[in-house]
Amino acid sequence: MNNNTGANLGFEEKLWMMADGLRGTMDSAEYKHVVLGLIFLKYISDSFLEKYEALQAEEYADPEDRDEYLADNVFWVPSEARWSFLQGKAKDPKIGQLIDEAMTAIERDNKTLKGVLPKDFARPALDKSRLGTLIDKIATIGLGDAESRKKDILGRVYEYFLAKFAEKEGKGGGEFYTPQCVVKILVEMLEPYSGRVYDPCCGSGGMFVQAIKFVQAHSNGNGNGVPNGMKRDIAIYGQESNYTTFRLAKMNMAIRGIDAQIEWADTFLNDKHKDLKADYILANPPFNDEDWGFSKVKEDVRWAFGTPPAGGPRKQKDGSTINVDGGNANYAWIQHFVHHLSPGGTAGFVLANGSMSTNTSGEGEIRQKLIEADMVDCMIALPGQLFYTTQIPVCLWFITRSKKADAKRGHRDRQGETLFIDARKMGSLIDRTHRELSSEEITEIGRTYHAWRGEKKDGDYEDKSGFCKSATLDDIKSHHYVLTPGRYVGAEAIQDDGIPFEEKMAELSGTLYEQMRESIELDAVIRKNLEVLGYGE
């Protein structure tokens, strides 16, 4: 089985071990910005240096002309921020201050990075000798030159480090990192070839990165390429409420040259893309978020299918707090996604399993209305242990504005139908606590959905016991509008081994009686040993 769904260039783990070993007593959440900030600085410096040397070779070019770099979408790096200068000062006690000044200078000369880069390397808690050693280690890796960009070395190192920091930080890491295999499923399912892609809780921007990779991978024009008549360009829109995470997303986009309109604000309380109608929505909203600011938006236009539960803590007389109504933001997120879909748009997003069956505080009624409006396209139950930040099982929702036939996309008319996929048995453990889906398993899930939608490139769809089932609205109604895939796909067919029941039962009985005899003999030995020790009956 191929589990190569993450970065594995060979040196990431060694670099991570070196970097983490230099952390000392600094908290992982703080150290994350030290490491990722330096990696970003090395990348833009490498890219700048390559362009600088090319300009030196040109007869009439000026390598110190800032406009020469902007014309090629290369960040201008002033002399005091260039890696060669900083590495030369790596052993200087003031290296932290010099890096802060370098980050400030880069932001000053590159307006798109204003307010994005970390500038706290001079803090006393950061050991400057360790910082200098880390600079020397990162210096050994090419990140921004043409060859490195071709291999996407920077992007893969960045993803690897985000995953490792998420693992270190526990629950807090979930605010910015979604496992790559989960993101890949969403992207493979939605196939965002062209149009507006939106993530209102974008974290570090992983959904956008994978969407761009998908378009690039399918731009070869072969049988798995872009459908006829469709362009290969997407526009990216995002929003993130956590300022630190927002800065990570901006850096993530910048290092990959992705032009994305990402805003910093709370999506519920200050929707920065209020008029956006997206063709694709990919998201992993905070799980079961209880205190989401309902009181400020309770009459919002987004709640077209019913007012979501308020949730949130309320103080008791004894000083303790309780959740107001047992609800959370899950159904506020779902309706936010629906509100922002274009007439032919589809949303794919991650939620806790409880969202498929909850009847708390009107959530069941909202789900029923969504189902009766024929908006639920597909539901996927995922295996546990996929996330670094939580062990609770999660599911994927796919909501669409239209199930009508679409010749341009190759979709059949699937009105009144919903696909259920139970992928809980998929994946394999990569360590004692974390599971990962393989590339083959991701492809199988995606192809099942595409075949069900009628896409000829993925063959004909068939129900498969224990894995997938195309259900009608009446089927879902008979299950009281519960969307748990296990209720629909049934049990996996057991292969007949050809052994008659009587013969198999005789064999099992013989084994059982043998084990019972051994148990009696073992009891006698234990009693005898206890008597020898003076503890007999």
Side-chain angles (χ1 to χ4, degrees):
M1 181 178 289
N2 176 17
N3 282 312
N4 182 18
T5 56
N8 67 340
L9 296 175
F11 60 78
E12 302 100 330
E13 186 174 3
K14 291 180 181 178
L15 180 61
W16 165 259
M17 291 175 66
M18 286 187 277
D20 194 50
L22 297 170
R23 178 162 58 94
T25 58
M26 184 176 290
D27 183 73
S28 179
E30 294 180 281
Y31 191 60
K32 171 177 64 196
H33 299 287
V34 171
V35 176
L36 295 178
L38 286 178
I39 288 174
F40 177 82
L41 187 60
K42 178 65 162 60
Y43 167 81
I44 62 172
S45 190
D46 282 359
S47 182
F48 171 85
L49 179 61
E50 185 174 61
K51 179 66 177 176
Y52 187 93
E53 291 175 345
L55 290 172
Q56 279 185 318
E58 295 181 20
E59 188 174 352
Y60 299 106
D62 179 6
E64 292 294 341
D65 182 356
R66 183 168 164 266
D67 291 338
E68 294 275 11
Y69 299 86
L70 298 180
D72 280 354
N73 292 318
V74 175
F75 289 112
W76 166 257
V77 182
S79 58
E80 68 270 29
R82 295 170 192 172
W83 192 265
S84 56
F85 171 77
L86 293 172
Q87 189 179 1
K89 300 285 186 179
K91 305 306 180 188
D92 191 317
K94 294 183 179 180
I95 183 59
Q97 180 182 333
L98 292 172
I99 296 175
D100 286 343
E101 292 171 355
M103 296 294 191
T104 300
I106 291 171
E107 285 191 353
R108 180 194 66 217
D109 292 343
N110 300 274
K111 301 304 180 186
T112 59
L113 297 176
K114 187 172 179 60
V116 170
L117 305 182
K119 295 179 284 293
D120 48 7
F121 290 84
R123 75 182 104 169
L126 181 55
D127 187 306
K128 301 309 178 289
S129 64
R130 291 175 183 265
L131 178 59
T133 301
L134 184 57
I135 290 172
D136 287 335
K137 298 296 184 186
I138 294 176
T140 64
I141 303 171
L143 294 174
D145 57 283
E147 187 62 28
S148 298
R149 290 199 302 273
K150 184 178 179 181
K151 296 178 181 177
D152 192 25
I153 289 178
L154 181 279
R156 295 173 73 172
V157 168
Y158 203 82
E159 283 179 9
Y160 185 86
F161 273 48
L162 283 174
K164 296 300 288 186
F165 277 119
E167 185 177 3
K168 285 277 185 182
E169 290 172 45
K171 186 177 180 180
E175 295 177 358
F176 67 87
Y177 186 76
T178 307
Q180 195 181 125
C181 64
V182 175
V183 180
K184 280 190 172 184
I185 294 175
L186 290 172
V187 173
E188 288 290 333
M189 295 277 283
L190 293 183
E191 298 181 311
Y193 292 114
S194 66
R196 297 171 295 274
V197 177
Y198 174 51
D199 184 348
C201 41
C202 67
S204 59
M207 300 287 184
F208 301 141
V209 171
Q210 204 59 47
I212 293 292
K213 285 184 176 180
F214 177 87
V215 173
Q216 291 171 342
H218 292 75
S219 63
N220 51 18
N222 61 20
N224 295 319
V226 180
N228 292 333
M230 293 187 69
K231 296 181 180 178
R232 302 185 189 100
D233 57 299
I234 59 177
I236 289 173
Y237 302 85
Q239 188 163 333
E240 173 55 41
S241 61
N242 183 300
Y243 183 63
T244 300
T245 310
F246 160 75
R247 288 164 62 194
L248 279 178
K250 294 286 282 186
M251 281 198 291
N252 203 3
M253 298 301 100
I255 60 181
R256 298 171 183 277
I258 298 175
D259 183 17
Q261 297 185 41
I262 300 178
E263 304 290 342
W264 168 49
D266 185 294
T267 297
F268 289 134
L269 307 184
N270 185 9
D271 187 355
K272 291 290 190 177
H273 300 289
K274 194 167 287 187
D275 299 323
L276 174 67
K277 295 300 179 183
D279 300 295
Y280 306 98
I281 294 176
L282 300 108
N284 174 26
F287 289 169
N288 302 328
D289 189 10
E290 295 174 356
D291 189 11
W292 60 277
F294 166 81
S295 61
K296 298 178 183 178
V297 290
K298 58 184 177 181
E299 304 296 333
D300 201 278
V301 67
R302 289 171 287 185
W303 318 143
F305 294 87
T307 305
R314 174 179 289 168
K315 203 158 192 176
Q316 303 280 64
K317 289 182 180 180
D318 62 0
S320 63
T321 59
I322 61 168
N323 189 9
V324 174
D325 57 7
N328 53 55
N330 289 347
Y331 277 80
W333 281 115
I334 292 174
Q335 294 191 84
H336 176 85
F337 300 144
V338 170
H339 176 75
H340 277 288
L341 280 176
S342 68
T346 305
F349 49 92
V350 187
L351 282 180
N353 274 3
S355 64
M356 298 187 288
S357 57
T358 177
N359 288 309
T360 301
S361 305
E363 290 173 322
E365 287 83 356
I366 297 173
R367 185 173 61 254
Q368 178 176 335
K369 289 178 182 178
L370 284 165
I371 293 167
E372 291 178 340
D374 205 15
M375 300 193 76
V376 182
D377 205 34
C378 179
M379 298 296 301
I380 302 177
L382 293 177
Q385 298 178 275
L386 291 177
F387 283 74
Y388 290 103
T389 53
T390 179
Q391 294 301 312
I392 67 171
V394 300
C395 60
L396 300 182
W397 286 63
F398 291 87
I399 297 282
T400 186
R401 280 281 187 187
S402 176
K403 295 181 183 178
K404 293 180 180 178
D406 185 338
K408 193 174 182 180
R409 288 184 168 86
H411 297 172
R412 68 178 180 86
D413 186 331
R414 56 194 190 283
Q415 294 180 86
E417 299 176 40
T418 296
L419 177 65
F420 291 91
I421 297 177
D422 190 343
R424 289 177 298 173
K425 293 182 180 179
M426 287 186 163
S428 57
L429 289 172
I430 56 174
D431 56 40
R432 288 188 302 169
T433 57
H434 299 129
R435 184 175 297 273
E436 189 172 278
L437 292 164
S438 70
S439 297
E440 291 83 0
E441 289 169 329
I442 293 169
T443 297
E444 181 182 359
I445 293 170
R447 283 181 175 168
T448 300
Y449 179 54
H450 301 155
W452 176 78
R453 290 198 301 191
E455 298 174 43
K456 297 301 181 185
K457 63 181 175 60
D458 293 292
D460 297 325
Y461 170 81
E462 287 185 2
D463 288 341
K464 183 178 177 181
S465 296
F467 178 63
C468 61
K469 168 72 176 178
S470 181
T472 65
L473 290 179
D474 285 340
D475 292 333
I476 298 174
K477 184 177 180 180
S478 71
H479 285 282
H480 308 290
Y481 299 97
V482 170
L483 294 174
T484 307
R487 291 200 174 202
Y488 301 90
V489 304
E492 185 176 359
I494 300 175
Q495 189 173 0
D496 185 3
D497 56 12
I499 302 174
F501 172 78
E502 293 78 8
E503 185 179 333
K504 187 180 292 185
M505 194 63 192
E507 181 182 345
L508 290 172
S509 298
T511 301
L512 176 61
Y513 288 132
E514 178 63 28
Q515 291 173 342
M516 291 170 69
R517 282 192 294 271
E518 291 177 356
S519 175
I520 293 172
E521 293 172 1
L522 183 59
D523 282 344
V525 171
I526 293 173
R527 288 175 182 274
K528 187 174 182 179
N529 288 338
L530 287 173
E531 288 174 0
V532 171
L533 295 172
Y535 294 99
E537 290 182 333

